[in-house]
Amino acid sequence: LSSCNVLPQAFYAQDTVTVARALLGCLLVHDSADGLTSGRIVETEAYLMGDEAAHSFRGPTARNAVMFGPAGYAYVYFIYGVHYCVNAVTQAEGVAEAVLIRALEPVDGLAIMAARRRTDTPRQLCSGPGKLSQALAIGAAQNGLPLFDGPLRIEAAQTPVHADDIVTTTRIGITRAAELPLRFYLRDNSHISKR
DNA sequence: CGTAAGATGAAG
DNA sequence: TTCATCTTACGG
């Protein structure tokens, strides 16, 4: 049964860079009314306390409230008037850090994803934070959902990812704290987002 | 209130 | 390179 592979809440309550790296290879699943879609996480970014690029940098607001809560919940936000992006909240309650899930390698429900994304090209389905949210139907209704239980969840990697296969770079699309090495992706994977 | 910028994507 | 599209956050 796949649900016995779900990562426990305690997994998220640790160092955010550790979680960002450990999420690579894991499966993001959304069991929605339209059917089940999932993909292997191949790219992540860490957003930390004291990090000017983090939504939590200027303190709690209505939008970023989930980031200040306990670990293991989905922080979903709307950006550029068009797209949603999904994060996993990490660390202890009050420590507003999170991991942005930036790209997936599609695994289950490719036909559903193709219909939602209006393209059949596998590489176009989940190769970016806005794309994968659309492909898995993750939106405002999913903000605050637990990732360790329920329809939106993350399951452990089928095969372990070796540290040598993780590439570290600077984050994409930010202007402040742009020099920090907080983006992680699986080497040579064809589903990575582009700059 | 007014408004500028934003953890993006697609088209030209 | 430009634009779609709109919420949030911050200043007046």
Side-chain angles (χ1 to χ4, degrees):
Chain A
L1 203 70
S2 62
S3 57
C4 54
N5 277 347
V6 173
L7 296 172
Q9 185 174 20
F11 166 82
Y12 300 94
Q14 52 181 332
D15 172 78
T16 301
V17 168
T18 301
V19 175
R21 296 171 62 90
L23 280 176
L24 294 174
C26 296
L27 196 70
L28 176 64
V29 181
H30 191 197
D31 201 349
S32 74
D34 298 355
L36 186 144
T37 47
S38 77
R40 184 172 174 246
I41 298 171
V42 297
E43 178 182 350
T44 61
E45 284 178 356
Y47 287 86
L48 311 175
M49 290 293 279
D51 168 5
E52 289 192 281
H55 288 173
S56 54
F57 182 67
R58 293 174 196 282
T61 65
R63 177 175 69 156
N64 65 26
V66 177
M67 283 187 79
F68 286 83
Y73 289 83
Y75 167 47
V76 181
Y77 65 88
F78 187 55
I79 192 68
Y80 294 118
V82 188
H83 304 288
Y84 289 93
C85 296
V86 59
N87 297 252
V89 173
T90 57
Q91 284 280 19
E93 185 165 359
V95 180
E97 304 192 346
V99 174
L100 172 66
I101 300 175
R102 283 198 59 92
L104 306 176
E105 182 179 319
V107 173
D108 294 305
L110 283 276
I112 298 171
M113 292 187 198
R116 289 171 178 161
R117 293 272 307 122
R118 304 187 190 288
T119 175
D120 283 332
T121 311
R123 283 179 188 163
Q124 288 299 312
L125 295 177
C126 299
S127 55
K131 295 178 186 179
L132 73 89
S133 294
Q134 184 179 35
L136 271 62
I138 297 171
Q142 282 67 45
N143 187 40
L145 290 185
L147 293 167
F148 49 88
D149 180 41
L152 183 64
R153 54 188 183 268
I154 300 180
E155 302 176 0
Q158 291 287 342
T159 58
V161 169
H162 196 272
D164 293 347
D165 292 327
I166 300 176
V167 181
T168 304
T169 71
T170 55
R171 296 173 290 183
I172 294 182
I174 57 171
T175 54
R176 295 166 301 181
E179 74 288 353
L180 300 179
L182 294 174
R183 171 173 174 251
F184 310 96
Y185 66 89
L186 292 182
R187 187 184 306 279
D188 298 331
N189 191 281
S190 60
H191 298 269
I192 301 303
S193 69
K194 58 176 186 176
R195 302 244 176 199

